[in-house]
Amino acid sequence: MQIMLVLGGLALLALWPPASGRMLLVPLTATAQQSLVVAAVEGGARLIARGPVRRSMIVSGQRGQLMASLARHGIVAMVAPSGGCGS
């Protein structure tokens, strides 16, 4: 059980979005898919590209500003994979 908690904590840390910079936004519902761009812009993010996950988006912004907007719309932010961010 303790090993599972440690591994879960490490996985969470690995996916946690940075305080600022590129983040992957993933909608959790069909309604969230429709409001993904609105939520990102409301949170002060700059749209960069489509994400590697279906209906996701890579943005650049401040995690603190984005989180309230994303939570209202049912969207999760995580660290953007380096391969999906382009050059």
Side-chain angles (χ1 to χ4, degrees):
M1 183 66 171
Q2 290 176 340
I3 291 173
M4 289 181 66
L5 286 174
V6 169
L7 292 176
L10 290 174
L12 180 64
L13 286 175
L15 295 175
W16 193 252
S20 66
R22 293 182 177 203
M23 292 171 249
L24 177 66
L25 304 183
V26 181
L28 298 177
T29 66
T31 304
Q33 291 173 1
Q34 297 171 359
S35 60
L36 182 61
V37 172
V38 172
V41 172
E42 279 179 1
R46 183 174 55 96
L47 308 177
I48 298 195
R50 290 183 182 172
V53 178
R54 187 169 186 253
R55 307 233 193 247
S56 66
M57 182 174 292
I58 296 174
V59 301
S60 179
Q62 301 292 322
R63 182 182 65 213
Q65 291 177 328
L66 269 170
M67 293 312 255
S69 178
L70 297 180
R72 276 195 312 275
H73 291 280
I75 300 167
V76 175
M78 56 183 63
V79 65
S82 58
C85 290
S87 55

